[in-house]
Amino acid sequence: MAASAQDSPDLSAPPVPARRPRASAKGEQTRARLIAAARTLLSGGMSERFTTRNVAALCGVSHGMCHYHFQDRTDLVLAVVADIRPEWIHPLEEAVSAPGPFAERAERVVELLGRPEGAELSQLHSALHWHALNDSRVRESLEAEYRRWRACFVALFQVLAQERGGGVDPRPLGEAVAAAVDGLAAAESLGSEVDSGAVLRTLISTLAAGTRPGG
């Protein structure tokens, strides 16, 4: 019996893409535990012992299970880079993007950056920099994170440019503050007693004052 037109497939219709299976809740939990174990090893100053086998052992899963979620140790490091983003980049982005004039946003930024960085996060940054020196994928990923971080300071001075009605190039001003923050963080990591809040407040206000017409 010949097939009717209603039964014939519509060859003109675009193919329906196959739906990817959703990761199970248990799989997501295992992945999160592996990232937590990776953070523990990295923040403990044990970069030389940072292997997928040691991460799996600390997590309490098989080595094969670790490789099911992460191809190699670089994938694990990249997962840690993404995992700490909400702890240092998102708060800065929120401080800059929240409503208010330049002076108010700048004060939020100063207050945020004036808080001491947690020991774990500080150790993680050091470990990630070490891996970046030895792995191009980590270096590219970490540089992308820092570009996003530096963009926050440029966005801050973009608000000032809008308030002043032009004549202000926010990029060099924002980059200058970002470089100063990096220097302060390095000094603090060595135990130097520096009032970061006071330094940043003075720097930002001085840069802002220098952009005034005739300044």
Side-chain angles (χ1 to χ4, degrees), residues 43-199:
S43 64
M46 294 181 285
S47 290
E48 69 283 356
R49 294 182 54 200
F50 186 77
T51 64
T52 53
R53 190 174 299 279
N54 286 341
V55 169
L58 182 60
C59 186
V61 301
S62 68
H63 190 210
M65 178 60 68
C66 182
H67 277 284
Y68 174 82
H69 291 279
F70 302 98
Q71 182 176 353
D72 51 29
R73 77 170 190 169
T74 296
D75 280 349
L76 263 171
V77 175
L78 297 180
V80 172
V81 171
D83 193 61
I84 66 174
R85 188 182 301 137
E87 299 171 42
W88 69 293
I89 294 182
H90 289 176
L92 184 59
E93 290 177 334
E94 291 167 3
V96 172
S97 63
F102 169 79
E104 184 177 324
R105 300 186 197 210
E107 186 58 30
R108 284 199 298 262
V109 168
V110 169
E111 290 180 359
L112 175 66
L113 296 176
R115 301 171 191 169
E117 187 176 56
E120 190 219 16
L121 190 57
S122 178
Q123 289 286 347
L124 280 172
H125 278 298
S126 297
L128 292 174
H129 284 137
W130 184 88
H131 280 278
L133 292 174
N134 298 278
D135 191 314
S136 60
R137 289 172 60 200
V138 177
R139 182 167 60 253
E140 291 171 4
S141 177
L142 199 59
E143 173 55 26
E145 295 295 299
Y146 273 98
R147 282 197 302 270
R148 180 169 173 173
W149 181 79
R150 293 193 300 269
C152 295
F153 299 99
V154 177
L156 174 63
F157 280 94
Q158 182 63 49
V159 175
L160 180 66
Q162 293 169 353
E163 291 180 358
R164 298 280 164 83
V168 176
D169 185 352
R171 182 162 299 281
L173 298 173
E175 294 281 0
V177 175
V181 173
D182 280 340
L184 288 169
E188 290 176 350
S189 70
L190 296 174
S192 301
E193 295 184 2
V194 181
D195 189 342
S196 299
V199 172

